[in-house]
Amino acid sequence: WQIVLLRRGPDTLPDSAFLLALAGVLYGLASLTIVMLIYGGERAFALVFADLIITAAWVAIVLALFRASPRFRQTLCAVFGAGFLLQIFSVPFTLGPGIEELQGWAAMLRLIGLLAILFWSVAVYGHIVARAISRSPGVGVLFAVLYFVLNIELAAWLAPVS
């Protein structure tokens, strides 16, 4: 919780392969649930697998750029753990009919909720990266925005909206 609230960084987590695996599994299961709610089961596993790979690669590349690779397990664990919690918060906004089927306040509330979670996710991922590479929050947010753009493009490519 403390990382999602921007109070602590990945450096406060133990460098544990078990904790990383647990966070990865929880993140993967939460992702699978969200993806199945949005896209259905047809491409869900491919999207979640690609997301896990892109997330791990993004963390590894950013850390390597700043010579902070020894922090990989802690940083990826923080990203997976925060991602899991943020996805849990997004479930109420993904249940039910699509935004295009809603009208009025219901559509507006759902859209505002999803945008709030997206922007908070960028802030949290940026915070994690900034702490891991010992740089300013702005640098971390820049890398987080790049990550989210890449992930959204990947999802659009793997599961195009008809």
Side-chain angles (χ1 to χ4, degrees):
W1 288 108
Q2 296 299 312
I3 293 173
V4 173
L5 295 175
L6 310 181
R7 293 182 182 152
R8 294 192 178 180
D11 50 303
T12 61
L13 297 174
D15 186 8
S16 165
F18 173 77
L19 189 59
L20 174 58
L22 178 63
V25 166
L26 291 173
Y27 176 80
L29 290 173
S31 294
L32 188 62
T33 302
I34 298 295
V35 168
M36 290 184 82
L37 287 171
I38 295 171
Y39 298 105
E42 188 175 307
R43 294 191 179 116
F45 288 101
L47 282 167
V48 171
F49 182 73
D51 177 48
L52 288 167
I53 296 300
I54 288 207
T55 303
W58 170 70
V59 168
I61 290 167
V62 171
L63 292 177
L65 286 172
F66 291 91
R67 293 180 173 77
S69 293
R71 299 178 185 170
F72 177 74
R73 274 198 287 221
Q74 291 170 298
T75 305
L76 187 57
C77 184
V79 168
F80 281 161
F84 167 72
L85 291 173
L86 291 163
Q87 286 178 0
I88 295 302
F89 292 133
S90 74
V91 168
F93 300 106
T94 55
L95 293 174
I99 288 178
E100 65 279 351
E101 297 172 26
L102 294 174
Q103 295 181 353
W105 285 102
M108 185 63 70
L109 288 175
R110 181 179 276 181
L111 182 60
I112 289 170
L114 289 171
L115 286 174
I117 290 170
L118 174 65
F119 289 132
W120 191 252
S121 297
V122 169
V124 170
Y125 282 31
H127 168 76
I128 291 169
V129 168
R131 291 281 299 260
I133 62 175
S134 301
R135 295 293 189 268
S136 72
V139 172
V141 167
L142 173 67
F143 281 110
V145 167
L146 291 172
Y147 165 77
F148 279 98
V149 168
L150 179 63
N151 232 353
I152 290 167
E153 287 299 315
L154 175 72
W157 181 67
L158 288 175
V161 178
S162 305

Coordinates of all heavy atoms in Angstrom, one line a residue, residues 102-149:
L102 N -23.5 3.0 -22.2 CA -24.0 3.8 -21.1 C -24.3 5.2 -21.6 O -23.7 5.7 -22.6 CB -22.9 3.8 -20.0 CG -22.7 2.5 -19.3 CD1 -21.5 2.7 -18.3 CD2 -23.9 2.0 -18.6
Q103 N -25.1 5.9 -20.8 CA -25.4 7.3 -21.2 C -25.4 8.1 -19.9 O -25.6 7.6 -18.8 CB -26.8 7.4 -21.9 CG -26.8 6.7 -23.2 CD -28.2 6.8 -23.9 OE1 -29.1 7.3 -23.3 NE2 -28.3 6.4 -25.1
G104 N -25.2 9.4 -20.1 CA -25.4 10.3 -19.0 C -24.3 10.2 -17.9 O -23.1 9.9 -18.2
W105 N -24.8 10.3 -16.6 CA -23.9 10.2 -15.5 C -23.2 8.9 -15.4 O -22.0 8.8 -14.9 CB -24.7 10.5 -14.2 CG -25.0 11.9 -14.1 CD1 -26.2 12.5 -14.3 CD2 -24.1 13.0 -13.7 NE1 -26.1 13.9 -14.1 CE2 -24.8 14.2 -13.8 CE3 -22.8 13.0 -13.4 CZ2 -24.3 15.4 -13.5 CZ3 -22.2 14.2 -13.1 CH2 -22.9 15.4 -13.1
A106 N -23.8 7.8 -15.7 CA -23.2 6.5 -15.6 C -21.9 6.4 -16.5 O -20.9 5.9 -16.0 CB -24.2 5.4 -16.0
A107 N -22.1 6.9 -17.7 CA -20.9 6.8 -18.6 C -19.8 7.8 -18.1 O -18.6 7.5 -18.1 CB -21.3 7.2 -20.0
M108 N -20.2 9.0 -17.6 CA -19.3 9.9 -17.2 C -18.5 9.4 -15.9 O -17.3 9.6 -15.8 CB -20.0 11.3 -16.8 CG -19.0 12.4 -16.4 SD -17.9 12.9 -17.8 CE -19.1 13.6 -18.9
L109 N -19.2 8.8 -15.0 CA -18.6 8.3 -13.8 C -17.6 7.2 -14.1 O -16.5 7.1 -13.5 CB -19.6 7.9 -12.8 CG -20.4 9.0 -12.1 CD1 -21.5 8.4 -11.2 CD2 -19.5 9.9 -11.3
R110 N -18.0 6.3 -15.0 CA -17.1 5.2 -15.4 C -15.9 5.8 -16.0 O -14.8 5.3 -15.7 CB -17.8 4.2 -16.3 CG -16.9 3.1 -16.7 CD -17.5 2.1 -17.5 NE -18.2 1.1 -16.7 CZ -18.9 0.1 -17.2 NH1 -19.0 -0.1 -18.5 NH2 -19.5 -0.7 -16.4
L111 N -16.0 6.7 -17.0 CA -14.9 7.3 -17.7 C -14.0 8.0 -16.7 O -12.7 7.8 -16.7 CB -15.4 8.2 -18.8 CG -14.3 8.8 -19.6 CD1 -13.5 7.8 -20.3 CD2 -14.9 9.8 -20.6
I112 N -14.5 8.8 -15.8 CA -13.7 9.5 -14.8 C -13.0 8.5 -13.9 O -11.8 8.7 -13.6 CB -14.6 10.5 -14.0 CG1 -15.0 11.7 -14.9 CG2 -13.8 11.0 -12.8 CD1 -16.1 12.5 -14.2
G113 N -13.6 7.5 -13.5 CA -13.0 6.5 -12.7 C -11.8 5.8 -13.4 O -10.7 5.6 -12.8
L114 N -12.0 5.4 -14.6 CA -11.0 4.7 -15.4 C -9.8 5.7 -15.6 O -8.6 5.3 -15.6 CB -11.5 4.2 -16.7 CG -12.4 2.9 -16.5 CD1 -13.1 2.6 -17.8 CD2 -11.6 1.8 -16.0
L115 N -10.1 6.9 -16.0 CA -9.0 7.9 -16.2 C -8.3 8.2 -14.9 O -7.0 8.4 -15.0 CB -9.6 9.2 -16.8 CG -10.0 9.1 -18.3 CD1 -10.7 10.4 -18.7 CD2 -8.8 8.8 -19.2
A116 N -9.0 8.3 -13.8 CA -8.3 8.5 -12.5 C -7.3 7.4 -12.2 O -6.2 7.6 -11.8 CB -9.3 8.7 -11.4
I117 N -7.8 6.2 -12.4 CA -6.9 5.0 -12.2 C -5.7 5.0 -13.2 O -4.6 4.7 -12.8 CB -7.7 3.7 -12.2 CG1 -8.6 3.6 -11.0 CG2 -6.7 2.5 -12.3 CD1 -9.6 2.5 -11.1
L118 N -5.9 5.4 -14.4 CA -4.8 5.4 -15.4 C -3.8 6.5 -15.0 O -2.6 6.2 -14.9 CB -5.4 5.8 -16.8 CG -4.3 6.0 -17.9 CD1 -3.5 4.7 -18.1 CD2 -4.9 6.5 -19.1
F119 N -4.3 7.7 -14.6 CA -3.3 8.7 -14.2 C -2.6 8.4 -12.9 O -1.4 8.7 -12.8 CB -4.0 10.1 -14.1 CG -4.4 10.6 -15.5 CD1 -5.7 11.1 -15.7 CD2 -3.6 10.7 -16.5 CE1 -6.1 11.7 -16.9 CE2 -3.9 11.2 -17.8 CZ -5.2 11.7 -18.0
W120 N -3.3 7.8 -12.0 CA -2.7 7.4 -10.7 C -1.6 6.3 -11.0 O -0.6 6.2 -10.4 CB -3.7 6.9 -9.7 CG -3.0 6.8 -8.4 CD1 -2.7 5.6 -7.7 CD2 -2.5 7.8 -7.6 NE1 -2.1 5.9 -6.5 CE2 -1.9 7.3 -6.4 CE3 -2.4 9.2 -7.7 CZ2 -1.3 8.0 -5.4 CZ3 -1.8 10.0 -6.7 CH2 -1.3 9.4 -5.6
S121 N -2.0 5.4 -11.9 CA -1.0 4.3 -12.3 C 0.3 4.9 -12.9 O 1.4 4.4 -12.6 CB -1.7 3.3 -13.3 OG -2.8 2.7 -12.8
V122 N 0.1 5.9 -13.8 CA 1.3 6.5 -14.3 C 2.1 7.2 -13.2 O 3.4 7.0 -13.1 CB 0.9 7.6 -15.4 CG1 2.1 8.5 -15.8 CG2 0.3 6.9 -16.6
A123 N 1.5 7.8 -12.2 CA 2.2 8.4 -11.1 C 2.9 7.4 -10.3 O 4.0 7.6 -9.9 CB 1.2 9.2 -10.3
V124 N 2.2 6.3 -10.0 CA 2.8 5.2 -9.2 C 4.0 4.6 -9.9 O 5.0 4.4 -9.3 CB 1.7 4.2 -8.8 CG1 2.3 3.0 -8.1 CG2 0.7 4.8 -7.8
Y125 N 3.8 4.2 -11.1 CA 4.9 3.6 -11.9 C 6.1 4.5 -12.0 O 7.2 4.1 -11.9 CB 4.4 3.1 -13.2 CG 3.6 1.8 -13.2 CD1 2.8 1.4 -12.1 CD2 3.7 0.9 -14.3 CE1 2.1 0.2 -12.1 CE2 2.9 -0.3 -14.3 CZ 2.2 -0.6 -13.2 OH 1.5 -1.8 -13.2
G126 N 5.7 5.8 -12.2 CA 6.8 6.8 -12.3 C 7.5 7.0 -11.0 O 8.8 7.1 -11.0
H127 N 6.8 6.9 -9.9 CA 7.4 7.0 -8.6 C 8.3 5.8 -8.3 O 9.5 6.0 -7.9 CB 6.3 7.0 -7.5 CG 6.8 6.8 -6.1 ND1 7.4 7.8 -5.4 CD2 6.7 5.7 -5.3 CE1 7.7 7.3 -4.2 NE2 7.3 6.1 -4.1
I128 N 7.9 4.6 -8.7 CA 8.7 3.4 -8.5 C 10.0 3.5 -9.3 O 11.1 3.2 -8.8 CB 7.9 2.1 -8.9 CG1 6.7 1.9 -7.9 CG2 8.8 0.9 -9.0 CD1 5.7 0.9 -8.4
V129 N 9.9 3.9 -10.6 CA 11.1 4.0 -11.4 C 12.0 5.1 -10.9 O 13.2 4.9 -10.9 CB 10.6 4.2 -12.9 CG1 11.8 4.6 -13.8 CG2 10.0 2.9 -13.4
A130 N 11.4 6.2 -10.6 CA 12.3 7.3 -10.1 C 13.1 6.9 -8.9 O 14.3 7.2 -8.8 CB 11.4 8.5 -9.8
R131 N 12.4 6.2 -8.0 CA 13.1 5.8 -6.8 C 14.2 4.7 -7.1 O 15.3 4.7 -6.5 CB 12.1 5.2 -5.7 CG 11.2 6.2 -5.1 CD 11.9 7.0 -4.0 NE 12.3 6.2 -2.9 CZ 11.7 6.1 -1.7 NH1 10.5 6.7 -1.6 NH2 12.2 5.3 -0.8
A132 N 13.9 3.8 -8.0 CA 14.8 2.8 -8.4 C 16.0 3.3 -9.1 O 17.1 2.7 -8.9 CB 14.1 1.7 -9.3
I133 N 15.9 4.4 -9.9 CA 17.1 4.9 -10.6 C 17.6 6.1 -10.0 O 18.5 6.8 -10.5 CB 16.7 5.1 -12.1 CG1 15.6 6.2 -12.2 CG2 16.3 3.8 -12.8 CD1 15.3 6.6 -13.7
S134 N 17.1 6.5 -8.8 CA 17.6 7.7 -8.1 C 17.5 9.0 -8.9 O 18.5 9.7 -9.0 CB 19.0 7.5 -7.5 OG 19.0 6.3 -6.7
R135 N 16.4 9.2 -9.6 CA 16.2 10.4 -10.4 C 14.9 11.1 -9.9 O 14.1 10.6 -9.1 CB 16.0 10.0 -11.8 CG 17.3 9.4 -12.5 CD 18.4 10.5 -12.6 NE 19.5 10.0 -13.3 CZ 20.6 9.4 -12.9 NH1 20.7 9.1 -11.6 NH2 21.6 9.1 -13.6
S136 N 14.6 12.2 -10.5 CA 13.4 13.0 -10.1 C 12.2 12.3 -10.5 O 12.1 11.5 -11.4 CB 13.5 14.4 -10.8 OG 13.3 14.3 -12.2
P137 N 11.1 12.6 -9.8 CA 9.8 12.0 -10.2 C 9.4 12.3 -11.7 O 8.8 11.5 -12.3 CB 8.8 12.7 -9.3 CG 9.6 13.1 -8.1 CD 10.9 13.5 -8.7
G138 N 9.8 13.4 -12.2 CA 9.5 13.8 -13.6 C 10.1 12.8 -14.6 O 9.5 12.4 -15.6
V139 N 11.3 12.4 -14.3 CA 12.0 11.4 -15.2 C 11.3 10.0 -15.1 O 11.0 9.4 -16.1 CB 13.5 11.2 -14.7 CG1 14.1 10.0 -15.5 CG2 14.2 12.5 -15.0
G140 N 10.9 9.7 -13.8 CA 10.1 8.4 -13.7 C 8.8 8.5 -14.4 O 8.4 7.5 -15.0
V141 N 8.1 9.6 -14.3 CA 6.8 9.7 -15.0 C 7.0 9.6 -16.5 O 6.2 9.0 -17.2 CB 6.1 11.0 -14.6 CG1 4.9 11.3 -15.5 CG2 5.6 10.9 -13.1
L142 N 8.0 10.2 -17.0 CA 8.3 10.1 -18.5 C 8.4 8.6 -18.9 O 7.8 8.2 -19.9 CB 9.6 10.9 -18.8 CG 10.1 10.7 -20.3 CD1 9.1 11.4 -21.2 CD2 11.5 11.3 -20.4
F143 N 9.2 7.9 -18.1 CA 9.3 6.4 -18.5 C 8.0 5.7 -18.3 O 7.7 4.8 -19.0 CB 10.5 5.8 -17.6 CG 11.8 6.1 -18.2 CD1 12.7 6.9 -17.5 CD2 12.3 5.6 -19.4 CE1 13.9 7.2 -18.0 CE2 13.5 5.8 -19.9 CZ 14.4 6.7 -19.2
A144 N 7.2 6.1 -17.3 CA 5.9 5.4 -17.1 C 5.0 5.7 -18.2 O 4.3 4.8 -18.7 CB 5.3 5.9 -15.8
V145 N 5.0 7.0 -18.7 CA 4.1 7.3 -19.9 C 4.5 6.5 -21.1 O 3.7 5.9 -21.8 CB 4.2 8.8 -20.2 CG1 3.6 9.2 -21.5 CG2 3.5 9.6 -19.1
L146 N 5.8 6.4 -21.3 CA 6.3 5.6 -22.5 C 5.8 4.1 -22.3 O 5.4 3.5 -23.3 CB 7.8 5.6 -22.6 CG 8.4 7.0 -23.0 CD1 9.9 6.9 -22.9 CD2 8.0 7.3 -24.4
Y147 N 5.9 3.6 -21.1 CA 5.5 2.2 -20.8 C 4.0 2.1 -21.1 O 3.6 1.1 -21.8 CB 5.7 1.9 -19.4 CG 5.0 0.6 -18.9 CD1 5.4 -0.6 -19.3 CD2 3.9 0.7 -18.1 CE1 4.7 -1.8 -18.9 CE2 3.2 -0.4 -17.7 CZ 3.6 -1.6 -18.1 OH 2.9 -2.7 -17.7
F148 N 3.2 3.0 -20.7 CA 1.7 2.8 -20.9 C 1.3 3.0 -22.4 O 0.5 2.3 -22.8 CB 0.9 3.8 -20.0 CG 0.8 3.3 -18.6 CD1 1.6 3.7 -17.6 CD2 -0.2 2.4 -18.3 CE1 1.5 3.3 -16.3 CE2 -0.4 1.9 -17.0 CZ 0.5 2.3 -16.0
V149 N 2.0 3.9 -23.0 CA 1.7 4.1 -24.5 C 2.1 2.8 -25.2 O 1.3 2.3 -26.0 CB 2.5 5.3 -25.1 CG1 2.5 5.3 -26.6 CG2 1.9 6.6 -24.5

